[in-house]
Amino acid sequence: QQQVKQSPQSLIVQKGGISIINCAYENTAFDYFPWYQQFPGKGPALLIAIRPDVSEKKEGRFTISFNKSAKQFSLHIMDSQPGDSATYFCAASGGNFNKFYFGSGTKLNVKP
Amino acid sequence: DAMVIQNPRYQVTQFGKPVTLSCSQTLNHNVMYWYQQKSSQAPKLLFHYYDKDFNNEADTPDNFQSRRPNTSFCFLDIRSPGLGDAAMYLCATSRDLGGTGELFFGEGSRLTVL
């Protein structure tokens, strides 16, 4: 059973637009939801993370929206820039789980 | 400064020829992980160490082994690489288990199998 489902698989956005990536999770025991950004040939790096006690977290142009009842969370990139072009992975963990469950990734291409 | 360092960055081996990938960390984290990532896919956890305790994922092939001689270093041994083992191998660390803290990834080691 896939614990974290991510969509879309790929996304093309014009410079200055809003990029939105969605994730849904299965297990209500998860209590930590990070987003990782990965550039080609590099390891993933933590971008932003949220815990279920808040519905939104913002860091600069990046915002996570969290809907506990729907078991969904999303990443919003405001004023998207070509430098944001990368693959984004959502993940979930916590509770009794000793590992992170990753989504399948979204390849974002921001066109100049 | 790099906190999780992987060597080599690129490794080419022949079918069936053993390979060792290394990972070192300066974070003094308790947990070290090895992930396999194939093109356009999510990282797949192979195993992790909590201190010296080794935890293997149920679906990790026996062909993959790991060693953690001390807190700072962890090795991934692929005993007989097959063509299907060509991938990026990512080492990561976290302070503790439970998945409640940040995962710090290395830059990865890209393995090519000829």
Side-chain angles (χ1 to χ4, degrees), chain B:
Chain B
D1 290 336
M3 296 176 286
V4 181
I5 302 164
Q6 291 188 242
N7 284 297
R9 291 292 316 281
Y10 302 91
Q11 176 73 59
V12 179
T13 190
Q14 300 216 326
F15 184 95
K17 188 173 181 182
V19 161
T20 294
L21 307 176
S22 75
C23 177
S24 65
Q25 56 134 339
T26 60
L27 297 162
N28 203 32
H29 281 172
N30 292 313
V31 192
M32 295 186 79
Y33 306 81
W34 279 105
Y35 286 85
Q36 179 192 62
Q37 187 178 31
K38 295 187 176 180
S39 183
S40 302
Q41 295 184 20
K44 179 182 181 297
L45 183 63
L46 296 173
F47 25 60
H48 74 268
Y49 274 95
Y50 178 76
D51 196 11
K52 295 181 180 178
D53 292 334
F54 176 72
N55 293 270
N56 203 31
E57 291 299 295
D59 58 354
T60 297
D62 293 340
N63 197 27
F64 293 87
Q65 304 286 321
S66 186
R67 297 169 281 136
R68 189 180 185 186
N70 54 53
T71 301
S72 301
F73 284 87
C74 196
F75 299 95
L76 170 61
D77 300 307
I78 308 175
R79 293 192 297 188
S80 182
L83 297 178
D85 296 328
M88 175 80 89
Y89 290 88
L90 295 164
C91 174
T93 73
S94 65
R95 181 172 286 108
D96 279 304
L97 282 173
T100 56
E102 181 177 350
L103 268 182
F104 290 82
F105 283 91
E107 298 269 85
S109 293
R110 180 165 294 284
L111 177 67
T112 300
V113 182
L114 301 177

Side-chain angles (χ1 to χ4, degrees), chain A residues 70-84:
Chain A
K71 295 192 292 183
Q72 293 175 346
F73 58 110
S74 59
L75 176 69
H76 297 237
I77 306 175
M78 311 300 287
D79 186 26
S80 299
Q81 299 296 313
D84 297 330

Side-chain angles (χ1 to χ4, degrees), chain A residues 32 36 38 41 51 94 99-100 103, chain B residues 9 37 42 57 98-101 103:
Chain A
Y32 180 65
Y36 282 84
Q38 185 176 28
R51 296 193 184 276
K99 64 182 182 181
F100 290 79
Chain B
R9 291 292 316 281
Q37 187 178 31
E57 291 299 295
T100 56
L103 268 182

